[in-house]
Amino acid sequence: MTKITLRQLLDDAAERGYGVPAFNIKNMEQGLAIMEAADAVDAPVIIQASRGARSYAGDIMLSRIIDALVEMFPHIPLCLHQDHGNNEATCATAIQHGFTSVMMDGSLRSDGKTVGDYNYNVDITHRVAQMAHWVGASVEGELGVLGSLEHGSSEKEDGHGAEGALSRDQLLTDPNQAVDFVRATNVDALAIAMGTSHGVYKFTRRSDGNILAMRVVEEIHRRLPNTHLVMHGSSSVPQPLQDMFNAFGGEMPQTWGVPLEEIVRGIRHGVRKVNIDTDCRLAMTAIFRKVALQSKAEFDPRKFLKPAMDALRDLCRERFEQFSTAGNASRIKPIPLAEMARRYRSGALDPKTNMTAAA
């Protein structure tokens, strides 16, 4: 089975009311664990790579890993997505190396740390959408700056994240502006800011409406019912994983992630893609610590990596089931990029914003 575009996958998710977890990878072990989980529950997959991951593994290595996964699991539709592209070149080279979807994060300038204004965001996201759609690839845009409503700042992930103090207006996507943004850029999916952030330290307490603004998700969905919404920074940072990490020598301060019930609430209101990275890292590194402490003479990397892969597989399987992604893979027949490009040219995939509700 060939790879699938984000647009086709999220169209299917919207039609059937499920969400799709998007797992970040950097190596073979993560890819295998994710695909084994998907295979176990018949779930389609979004695997994404940041600029940091591309630098770490190399584009050629990452593309070969994905090609191998597609060959090993031919019955599982797989979307390869560029996470937080910072400029046109990042997105273009991703497509060149087999990515079927790219994110153009115009909320920040190309340095990945300076907040971009609205006009800059619209202009660069529109240019990337035009470029990607020529070849049939999908585009995710971002409106609003990812960061914490508690302390008014952003956390860096692989060097990407806003620097300095952020206002509440910057940290919350404006629903009115979202309508204009989608119409002006022609994006296939919209990442919105509502209080989530990168990294493990998302909240200092269990989230509520003051620090996780799910009402923004609901209002944007009301105005853009046909637009696929994306939640970034949506790891739940499960307490058992924190406890295991610390029980075997870790020193992670108590933290709270995005509650699963809030993610499921978002899926009911148009969220189709849910970004998860921290949970995956924590699942594996907690096992590394356990093996290192319990088997101090062990030096075979496989004895660390295999149980870590099992832990990641189990976590991914849980997310596929919790987001109702499970059971949908075998029904989906991927549409080739050339056909997607034809549909973009015909206007068939233009955003449907004429049905948006008034403020």
Side-chain angles (χ1 to χ4, degrees):
M1 182 176 286
T2 58
K3 286 175 282 190
I4 191 172
T5 63
L6 184 71
R7 177 60 183 270
Q8 185 192 355
L9 179 51
L10 298 192
D11 280 352
D12 187 81
E15 180 181 351
R16 297 181 179 271
Y18 64 90
V20 187
F23 301 113
N24 286 68
I25 73 162
K26 302 160 191 67
N27 55 39
M28 174 196 77
E29 288 80 9
Q30 290 173 307
L32 284 171
I34 293 165
M35 295 305 289
E36 287 172 3
D39 185 44
V41 297
D42 188 38
V45 171
I46 300 171
I47 287 179
Q48 55 187 24
S50 65
R51 287 183 293 130
R54 290 175 63 187
S55 175
Y56 172 79
D59 284 334
I60 294 173
M61 179 59 71
L62 273 177
S63 66
R64 297 297 188 273
I65 289 172
I66 297 299
D67 287 345
L69 295 175
V70 169
E71 186 173 348
M72 293 170 68
F73 300 90
H75 50 293
I76 301 296
L78 188 160
C79 170
L80 178 58
H81 179 74
Q82 165 69 59
D83 192 21
H84 287 288
N86 63 317
N87 57 31
E88 298 99 321
T90 296
C91 295
T93 55
I95 294 171
Q96 182 182 20
H97 285 96
F99 287 67
T100 56
S101 175
V102 297
M103 179 197 184
M104 179 58 234
D105 183 1
S107 70
L108 302 180
R109 293 276 180 170
S110 62
D111 62 6
K113 60 185 180 181
T114 304
V115 176
D117 62 34
Y118 179 71
N119 290 333
Y120 168 82
N121 194 353
V122 167
D123 181 58
I124 194 168
T125 304
H126 175 63
R127 293 202 307 271
V128 168
Q130 282 186 312
M131 175 268 296
H133 290 168
W134 286 337
V135 296
S138 309
V139 176
E140 173 189 335
E142 178 162 324
L143 184 60
V145 182
L146 197 68
S148 171
L149 292 171
E150 284 191 282
H151 50 73
S153 62
S154 180
E155 298 291 338
K156 286 188 178 296
E157 186 79 9
D158 286 344
H160 186 96
E163 290 187 346
L166 298 169
S167 70
R168 195 171 181 84
D169 286 344
Q170 291 174 311
L171 291 166
L172 293 174
T173 302
D174 183 326
N176 281 326
Q177 206 172 55
V179 176
D180 292 332
F181 184 83
V182 170
R183 185 183 292 120
T185 60
N186 205 25
V187 291
D188 299 287
L190 178 65
I192 58 178
M194 21 71 81
T196 59
S197 57
H198 287 143
V200 70
Y201 304 110
K202 301 182 186 303
F203 307 112
T204 62
R205 56 186 170 85
R206 185 171 175 82
S207 62
D208 56 28
N210 293 319
I211 59 176
L212 181 62
M214 295 302 295
R215 65 187 182 280
V216 172
V217 176
E218 295 171 354
E219 181 58 21
I220 292 174
H221 179 57
R222 186 180 74 83
R223 299 179 189 225
L224 289 168
N226 299 301
T227 296
H228 306 313
L229 303 183
V230 181
M231 286 177 62
H232 280 240
S234 291
S235 285
S236 297
V237 198
Q239 191 64 49
L241 289 182
Q242 293 185 56
D243 293 343
M244 179 186 292
F245 185 89
N246 287 332
F248 295 102
E251 296 182 355
M252 179 180 291
Q254 177 64 51
T255 185
W256 283 262
V258 182
L260 284 168
E261 60 268 25
E262 296 291 8
I263 297 174
V264 172
R265 174 184 171 187
I267 292 170
R268 292 198 301 268
H269 293 89
V271 171
R272 299 297 161 219
K273 176 174 176 280
V274 183
N275 285 18
I276 299 172
D277 187 9
T278 294
D279 284 354
C280 299
R281 298 183 186 193
L282 188 56
M284 296 189 80
T285 54
I287 295 296
F288 294 161
R289 289 188 174 278
K290 180 179 180 180
V291 174
L293 195 64
Q294 291 186 338
S295 305
K296 293 184 179 181
E298 186 57 68
F299 63 92
D300 185 344
R302 294 170 296 182
K303 298 299 177 65
F304 293 80
L305 288 166
K306 184 57 174 71
M309 289 168 63
D310 292 343
L312 177 56
R313 180 201 61 214
D314 293 346
L315 171 74
C316 293
R317 177 170 180 163
E318 286 182 359
R319 297 296 181 267
F320 285 132
E321 292 172 336
Q322 289 156 339
F323 300 169
S324 300
T325 327
N328 288 289
S330 57
R331 183 181 37 75
I332 299 172
K333 307 303 177 188
I335 300 170
L337 284 175
E339 173 58 21
M340 293 298 291
R342 187 195 68 78
R343 295 184 187 188
Y344 282 119
R345 288 195 301 271
S346 73
L349 299 179
D350 286 352
K352 296 181 175 65
T353 59
N354 58 318
M355 296 175 62
T356 56

